[in-house]
Amino acid sequence: MKKNTIPEKAGPWKRLSQILLVVLGGLLLATPYVQAQADNEEVVDLQPFTVLGSAITRFDQESGLPVSMLTMDDIEAGGSISPGEIFTEMVWTGSPEFEESSDGPNDARGDVTSVNLRGAGPGQTLMLLNGRRLAPHPLNQTVNQTPSVLVNANIIPAGLIERVDVLRDGASAIYGTDASAGVVNTLLESDFIGNKAHLRYGTESDGNFTEFLITYTGGFDFNDGKSNLSVFVSYFDRDPIMAKDRDYALAGDKSIFVDTDKWDGPFDRRSSHSPWGRFENTLPGSRDQLFQNGVAITDGTGDFHIHNPAFTGDDDDSRTVLADGTLLGYDSLPRNERLNIHQWYTLTSKVERKNAFLSFNHKFSDNLKLFAEAGYYQADSWQQRAPSVSLGFTVEPLIIPAQNYWNPFGPKVFSNGQVNPNRLEGITLQNGDPLPDEGISIKWEGWRSVDLGPRIVTVDSESYIATLGLSGKVGDNWYWETGLRYNINKATDLSENRMSKTKVLASLALETPLALNMFAGPGVNGPEVWENIEISTTRTAETELLNYDLRINNPEIIELFGNPVGIAFGFEARGETYMDDRDPRLDGTIIWNDDVPQNISDVVGVSPTPDSDASRDVVGLYAETLIPIVGESNRMPLVHRLEFQVAGRWEDYSDFGEVKKPKYGAMWYLSPDILLRASHAKGFTAPNLSLLTSIQRSTTGVVDDYRRQWDPGNSDNTGAEYIPQLRNNLGLGPEQSKTDTAGIVFRVPFIEGLTLTTDYWRIKIDDRIGTIGPGDITEVDRDILNGLSPDPSLYSVGDVIIGDPRVERAPIDQEIMDLAAAEGYAPAGAIIRIIDPFVNEASRTIEGWDFGLEYAMPERSIGKFTLKFEGSYLKKMDQVEIEGDDPFSLIKFDVNPRFRGNTTLRWRKDNWNATVSYYYISETEENNVTDTEGNDWVIESYQRVNVAVGYRFTEGMFDGLSATFGIRNIFDEDPPLNPSERRGYETSLHSNRERFFYLDLKYRF
């Protein structure tokens, strides 16, 4: 298989264009013949192609395919009006990789959510709209250390959904090799006649959170009923949910919810980076302790911080505390001085969303139809984060120069002759010498710019979709459909109230009161200071998809044992592009320090990220046959019907080469009411386009296993310092998967209307894309360096000692050489960068059971009741990080519950209707919190009950109006507590919505 190459820029899809010209040209030449044939055919219903399961037969009660249909009744039962809620509350989905609570600068922020069937992970679920692919959301996000781009479910107009078909089966052979976990196909209303308006308003019981939706759907026939034009427009507005409105989220120290005598964990989520700065002196050659009038005002390594005058006590009485608001002799803040940054955070973004969709259908004849679609989506989202913080610019420390006007260890006299009013008196060095007249510079260890205000993030997202196609019938049983879809998605992420490193340094160098003051807490830096420092950063991204497909099937091509054999085949060609344009201060255009290429970012607190630009062409062919061994013509006892499915798909990727994947299936009806079924399928997921460019991040926790052996007290070696981490894709290949399913459908003959289903499923993903991890890399590096000679005569000042080439180190100096030699080790400089490449070493095995019940009870005098239950049980979720390691289970790990279930009871009587729905998620565990016996914290099970009652007017002035009043989360259940999470709960698993009342009005006229 060919290795991937990184395109210099997104090309015009030359190969795809050539294919499309040939195919479309052929269709144009063939259209007159097809038209003539179609005019001679009798009236038939064209075979549908936008449903799931087999490409030959439509799913219904008889086919037994593992397709779940989510209808508008199901959606309205839960009271959801946002696609994100609709899709993530399906019981077969795992936690979404993209979610609206994401707020980091490298997250896919904004009005975005994804679908993750079975929790299989990025790229394993295929999302379709009206049976065809969608381009992914343009903003990528790191999932399990790997950049990912996924389809944004929120672009789908929820108010136009007719139903959602979910194929919970390996569908790679028919729909695409990336459908290993299944397919989610949303079908929208079309051929609409009349006018329909929909108004929805809802609010939480305390009024802090409201939602508003208004839609219009209209359509009409013309050309003597041969043509139909339908239009849909909608506007949705939602308030934000702030952490300050939820006690469990606002609390900076979660220990107030926990018995700390029993439980141990990272409960205190307050930040040690506050407006009361943390610093370190920079005396040449050493980090000396400083004294004032003989009293130590720094610790033994020269660290100190400014004491908050709001706190008079100290957790450690052995420390020396001077006057409030001055210097405290160590750099780590006592717990009672830490800052609760949760007061600024947004839990759910404010969103303003607009959708428009246009569909046109025209029947040239009863057997030839043209269809066209055009869709538009635009959303603005708003959220905020805590004010910017920096740990001293990570790799290359930020130095506050001696001449800074506010530096307490500054010069006696500034260069303009002015006496320094802020220099502390009586300062002496560790050796007893007085503070130099010229002063000393200070290293910035940590400081938060609260005067600048919270970081504001707004994201503008847009999507344009256009589809044009033909469908028809030729001969007795040949059905065909062809279509061309173009989809372009754009997003602009704007982050305000950020700081430029170069501007900060320029301000710190000032010898006037306009210099940035980090030494006096909040309220001291006014607008005149910030106007020279404050910046906004932008991230603009775009994805495109051009997709052409041709599908042909014949459900009765020949007969076998008197039963019809079906065949289907198809062709698909698509071109995809991805572009991510980072702010000039992040992509290397505006560089903070040319001498430190690992940290070129000029934005405080944000890692550098280069621009990305990649493209891919894919050509695919598939074929499928349904072979009926037993059917209507030769039924026998216990074999009412027996069919086998054989399918295969070939695809050619322009960057990864060719791949072939099969699928085999069988359906055996023991009787008309009992069906057994099984399938086996293989899949292939190519690395997404955002992986075709290397990325760099700065991270803590990189422990230098080698130097820690002989220099354990140095913070450079303990993982406390930020280290750049480069992730490249050299040699990266695709992920491989196998999906096995088996199930039973039982229509209970002695209880009319009751159907029970059970399905077993297993997904094995090999060559899963991930990273090796700094820990494993530094262990290898340690072993190599331990083999070097400790003889100091073999080394010179300035040498760069190399162990594992993935670990880049600074040159050695004399101090390092002397220390290493004294301990019997070879010298080595501090780690300055880790190269942690993406690799195909991980694997994941997921196994479980699905259960279903549908009971349409016979109508009685009190009305008609319908009961529906769906549940999914996770039996196994084992992951192997590196080939050869033992697997570890992810079940109950944070966001992977054992069981999810959804039960809905509906009632209808004349014009009245009512619904009760119950949603349940079983418990999970948090292994960062343990009790005295070593047991993990249990994140309790979660349940939510929704109720609604409605009435449909059929006469008088309100004829055509339907009104529904509903309550979501009627018992006002809070999400279960996870005390180690900053927000206090699992954002991708549980909802932060309180009791919510809504009124829903629909008017058809």
Side-chain angles (χ1 to χ4, degrees):
M1 182 174 294
K2 295 182 293 187
K3 298 297 184 183
N4 64 301
T5 56
I6 301 174
E8 294 183 0
K9 63 179 181 178
W13 313 323
K14 181 177 180 180
R15 181 171 60 148
L16 178 60
S17 301
Q18 293 170 343
I19 294 170
L20 291 176
L21 287 174
V22 172
V23 174
L24 292 175
L27 285 174
L28 290 174
L29 293 173
T31 298
Y33 170 77
V34 173
Q35 176 71 61
Q37 294 294 312
D39 289 340
N40 294 326
E41 295 293 335
E42 62 185 43
V43 178
V44 297
D45 291 329
L46 296 182
Q47 185 77 2
F49 284 84
T50 57
V51 295
L52 296 181
S54 167
I56 301 169
T57 58
R58 177 171 181 166
F59 169 77
D60 54 24
Q61 284 284 62
E62 296 295 325
S63 72
L65 295 171
V67 179
S68 296
M69 289 187 180
L70 188 70
T71 65
M72 279 306 297
D73 284 342
D74 298 317
I75 294 171
E76 291 174 353
S80 300
I81 57 171
S82 183
E85 293 178 340
I86 293 171
F87 289 109
T88 57
E89 290 184 2
M90 295 187 299
V91 299
W92 316 284
T93 60
S95 298
E97 292 95 344
F98 289 14
E99 53 170 329
E100 296 175 348
S101 65
S102 299
D103 62 3
N106 293 302
D107 287 338
R109 301 189 286 203
D111 182 43
V112 58
T113 192
S114 62
V115 179
N116 179 20
L117 286 178
R118 309 298 192 192
Q124 307 295 335
T125 300
L126 180 58
M127 288 282 292
L128 304 176
L129 179 65
N130 286 341
R132 287 181 168 83
R133 286 177 176 266
L134 294 166
H137 184 63
L139 297 176
N140 75 342
Q141 179 171 311
T142 298
V143 180
N144 296 325
Q145 305 299 315
T146 304
S148 301
V149 287
L150 300 171
V151 170
N152 179 15
N154 282 344
I155 71 171
I156 296 173
L160 195 59
I161 294 175
E162 181 177 285
R163 73 174 191 271
V164 180
D165 290 349
V166 182
L167 177 58
R168 299 170 285 113
D169 202 350
S172 299
I174 298 174
Y175 291 95
T177 50
D178 50 354
S180 303
V183 185
V184 178
N185 181 27
T186 303
L187 293 109
L188 305 180
E189 282 189 86
S190 63
D191 286 330
F192 188 82
I193 298 176
N195 299 277
K196 182 172 61 175
H198 179 197
L199 177 66
R200 156 91 170 245
Y201 177 79
T203 181
E204 287 186 348
S205 51
D206 59 8
N208 286 331
F209 174 72
T210 63
E211 286 182 339
F212 174 77
L213 172 71
I214 184 169
T215 75
Y216 166 77
T217 308
F220 59 92
D221 286 346
F222 58 101
N223 285 337
D224 297 326
K226 294 181 179 180
S227 302
N228 178 271
L229 181 67
S230 302
V231 63
F232 169 85
V233 292
S234 71
Y235 173 80
F236 171 73
D237 183 76
R238 181 186 70 196
D239 288 336
I241 296 178
M242 308 300 295
K244 64 182 181 180
D245 297 324
R246 302 289 189 265
D247 291 341
Y248 52 81
L250 177 61
D253 185 1
K254 311 297 183 185
S255 66
I256 62 175
F257 304 116
V258 178
D259 180 0
T260 53
D261 292 333
K262 177 181 178 182
W263 294 97
D264 179 44
F267 303 131
D268 194 346
R269 309 297 291 180
R270 291 173 295 179
S271 176
S272 61
H273 313 304
S274 77
W276 304 92
R278 297 165 49 213
F279 308 96
E280 169 191 318
N281 82 63
T282 58
L283 292 171
S286 66
R287 296 167 58 192
D288 283 347
Q289 192 168 22
L290 299 178
F291 297 83
Q292 184 177 37
N293 301 322
V295 178
I297 58 173
T298 72
D299 67 10
T301 62
D303 290 340
F304 66 95
H305 80 268
I306 308 301
H307 183 54
N308 184 344
F311 300 99
T312 58
D314 190 330
D315 289 347
D316 188 343
D317 293 333
S318 67
R319 307 287 188 178
T320 300
V321 181
L322 300 185
D324 289 344
T326 57
L327 306 184
L328 181 61
Y330 55 104
D331 76 329
S332 59
L333 289 181
R335 291 289 175 183
N336 64 345
E337 291 195 38
R338 295 195 172 208
L339 180 67
N340 181 12
I341 60 176
H342 302 74
Q343 59 188 297
W344 288 285
Y345 274 99
T346 305
L347 300 182
T348 299
S349 302
K350 174 179 173 56
V351 168
E352 186 179 23
R353 182 188 304 148
K354 307 175 188 72
N355 284 100
F357 204 85
L358 183 74
S359 66
F360 172 74
N361 295 286
H362 176 74
K363 290 183 179 180
F364 292 106
S365 71
D366 292 323
N367 296 316
L368 182 63
K369 178 181 177 181
L370 177 143
F371 58 90
E373 302 168 348
Y376 171 71
Y377 154 88
Q378 191 276 329
D380 293 311
S381 70
W382 175 96
Q383 63 183 161
Q384 70 177 32
R385 306 179 70 204
S388 291
V389 64
S390 173
L391 305 182
F393 292 2
T394 66
V395 178
E396 179 71 8
L398 181 147
I399 304 300
I400 304 171
Q403 74 267 21
N404 174 266
Y405 183 80
W406 306 103
N407 185 347
F409 306 113
K412 283 187 174 181
V413 179
F414 292 121
S415 61
N416 61 5
Q418 177 186 353
V419 175
N420 185 351
N422 299 306
R423 176 181 166 113
L424 293 177
E425 298 294 334
I427 302 299
T428 56
L429 309 185
Q430 187 166 330
N431 61 8
D433 291 343
L435 183 71
D437 289 348
E438 66 274 16
I440 61 173
S441 58
I442 300 297
K443 178 182 176 182
W444 169 8
E445 290 281 354
W447 174 77
R448 194 177 295 273
S449 55
V450 296
D451 292 342
L452 183 57
R455 289 166 283 182
I456 304 298
V457 178
T458 55
V459 182
D460 176 21
S461 303
E462 288 184 293
S463 179
Y464 301 84
I465 302 173
T467 310
L468 179 64
L470 291 169
S471 63
K473 179 175 180 283
V474 179
D476 292 334
N477 291 300
W478 287 102
Y479 299 89
W480 62 274
E481 181 176 301
T482 186
L484 180 68
R485 167 168 287 178
Y486 176 69
N487 181 198
I488 181 171
N489 298 324
K490 302 178 181 180
T492 300
D493 181 308
L494 174 66
S495 184
E496 302 176 86
N497 290 350
R498 303 212 70 109
M499 296 187 292
S500 159
K501 294 178 182 178
T502 52
K503 290 177 177 286
V504 166
L505 289 175
S507 180
L508 288 173
L510 295 177
E511 296 179 290
T512 70
L514 287 178
L516 181 63
N517 184 358
M518 298 181 179
F519 300 99
V524 296
N525 292 295
E528 67 281 0
V529 174
W530 291 119
E531 67 182 13
N532 297 318
I533 298 174
E534 178 188 358
I535 60 169
S536 296
T537 62
T538 59
R539 177 187 179 189
T540 303
E542 182 179 289
T543 55
E544 285 183 284
L545 169 72
L546 179 62
N547 189 92
Y548 170 77
D549 58 72
L550 173 64
R551 314 169 189 179
I552 301 172
N553 79 41
N554 188 329
E556 301 180 17
I557 189 170
I558 61 173
E559 286 191 353
L560 180 65
F561 308 123
N563 302 303
V565 176
I567 188 170
F569 52 89
F571 168 81
E572 182 181 12
R574 69 180 185 269
E576 304 169 326
T577 68
Y578 166 81
M579 182 276 292
D580 188 359
D581 183 9
R582 299 292 179 129
D583 193 271
R585 297 184 184 275
L586 295 172
D587 66 9
T589 304
I590 301 175
I591 298 176
W592 168 51
N593 190 339
D594 286 317
D595 296 330
V596 189
Q598 300 97 328
N599 196 25
I600 61 175
S601 167
D602 189 50
V603 182
V604 172
V606 185
S607 301
T609 303
D611 296 338
S612 303
D613 197 356
S615 67
R616 167 183 294 150
D617 299 333
V618 184
V619 177
L621 294 171
Y622 76 85
E624 179 196 16
T625 182
L626 284 183
I627 306 170
I629 304 301
V630 178
E632 185 176 353
S633 66
N634 59 342
R635 287 172 180 162
M636 61 188 73
L638 297 181
V639 189
H640 182 80
R641 183 169 133 200
L642 179 62
E643 290 182 350
F644 293 94
Q645 176 196 27
V646 179
R649 189 178 186 95
W650 168 87
E651 287 189 342
D652 184 14
Y653 287 72
S654 60
D655 49 358
F656 286 95
E658 299 181 14
V659 61
K660 305 178 187 70
K661 296 298 178 183
K663 178 179 180 180
Y664 311 99
M667 292 186 294
W668 172 19
Y669 277 84
L670 281 77
S671 74
D673 297 319
I674 302 176
L675 165 67
L676 304 178
R677 52 163 230 85
S679 70
H680 171 77
K682 293 185 178 181
F684 166 102
T685 304
N688 67 78
L689 291 180
S690 70
L691 267 170
L692 298 185
T693 301
S694 299
I695 63 171
Q696 181 166 291
R697 297 286 182 265
S698 292
T699 182
T700 57
V702 180
V703 177
D704 192 336
D705 292 306
Y706 177 68
R707 282 171 45 111
R708 197 170 57 163
Q709 297 173 115
W710 46 274
D711 190 11
N714 192 334
S715 62
D716 288 340
N717 307 329
T718 62
E721 303 294 333
Y722 272 73
I723 300 293
Q725 187 176 357
L726 177 66
R727 300 169 188 160
N728 59 40
N729 54 23
L730 300 179
L732 189 63
E735 297 179 341
Q736 309 284 345
S737 64
K738 296 178 182 179
T739 304
D740 296 292
T741 66
I744 181 171
V745 179
F746 179 37
R747 291 188 295 188
V748 182
F750 49 86
I751 304 179
E752 182 182 353
L754 177 61
T755 300
L756 305 175
T757 61
T758 301
D759 288 287
Y760 164 80
W761 48 270
R762 184 179 187 271
I763 304 172
K764 175 71 184 304
I765 306 170
D766 291 316
D767 298 331
R768 187 175 168 86
I769 297 173
T771 57
I772 297 174
D776 290 323
I777 293 174
T778 55
E779 283 184 13
V780 174
D781 179 71
R782 175 200 61 199
D783 294 340
I784 295 173
L785 292 177
N786 278 340
L788 299 181
S789 172
D791 185 354
S793 65
L794 300 176
Y795 309 100
S796 301
V797 171
D799 286 349
V800 177
I801 310 301
I802 300 296
D804 189 310
R806 296 172 295 184
V807 179
E808 297 180 357
R809 294 184 176 276
I812 59 176
D813 57 26
Q814 191 62 51
E815 184 178 355
I816 291 174
M817 292 178 60
D818 293 343
L819 179 59
E823 298 294 330
Y825 288 89
I831 296 174
I832 58 174
R833 186 166 73 166
I834 291 284
I835 300 175
D836 189 7
F838 298 113
V839 293
N840 294 99
E841 288 197 349
S843 67
R844 178 176 288 186
T845 302
I846 315 170
E847 187 177 350
W849 294 84
D850 292 340
F851 305 95
L853 178 152
E854 290 192 29
Y855 185 24
M857 305 177 193
E859 189 165 0
R860 308 294 185 191
S861 59
I862 63 172
K864 183 175 180 61
F865 289 89
T866 303
L867 178 66
K868 183 177 182 179
F869 164 77
E870 292 172 328
S872 186
Y873 176 81
L874 186 62
K875 179 182 177 183
K876 175 188 289 187
M877 182 178 272
D878 287 349
Q879 181 143 314
V880 175
E881 292 292 345
I882 299 177
E883 187 175 357
D885 287 356
D886 293 331
F888 59 91
S889 176
L890 296 176
I891 293 179
K892 291 191 175 183
F893 181 76
D894 291 345
V895 296
N896 299 307
R898 278 278 190 194
F899 183 78
R900 297 173 187 249
N902 203 339
T903 304
T904 303
L905 177 64
R906 297 188 182 90
W907 167 80
R908 293 186 184 277
K909 171 67 173 174
D910 299 327
N911 292 0
W912 289 93
N913 66 84
T915 303
V916 178
S917 65
Y918 175 71
Y919 181 64
Y920 175 82
I921 300 176
S922 63
E923 66 185 32
T924 57
E925 295 178 352
E926 171 56 74
N927 61 10
N928 287 322
V929 181
T930 57
D931 65 11
T932 53
E933 298 178 356
N935 299 309
D936 292 338
W937 174 273
V938 175
I939 303 171
E940 297 177 353
S941 60
Y942 177 63
Q943 51 195 343
R944 188 170 65 248
V945 178
N946 308 314
V947 298
V949 61
Y951 183 81
R952 178 171 53 88
F953 295 88
T954 54
E955 57 185 25
M957 62 181 297
F958 296 115
D959 184 18
L961 175 66
S962 297
T964 301
F965 174 74
I967 306 175
R968 300 190 67 191
N969 191 13
I970 188 171
F971 297 115
D972 200 18
E973 291 282 338
D974 282 337
L977 178 69
N978 183 347
S980 74
E981 281 293 320
R982 173 164 54 89
R983 292 178 172 88
Y985 70 105
E986 294 292 342
T987 59
S988 62
L989 190 64
H990 304 122
S991 173
N992 59 27
R993 308 298 173 85
E994 296 182 343
R995 183 185 294 115
F996 186 80
F997 301 92
Y998 65 90
L999 178 64
D1000 200 292
L1001 301 174
K1002 294 182 179 179
Y1003 182 43
R1004 185 150 189 168
F1005 55 99

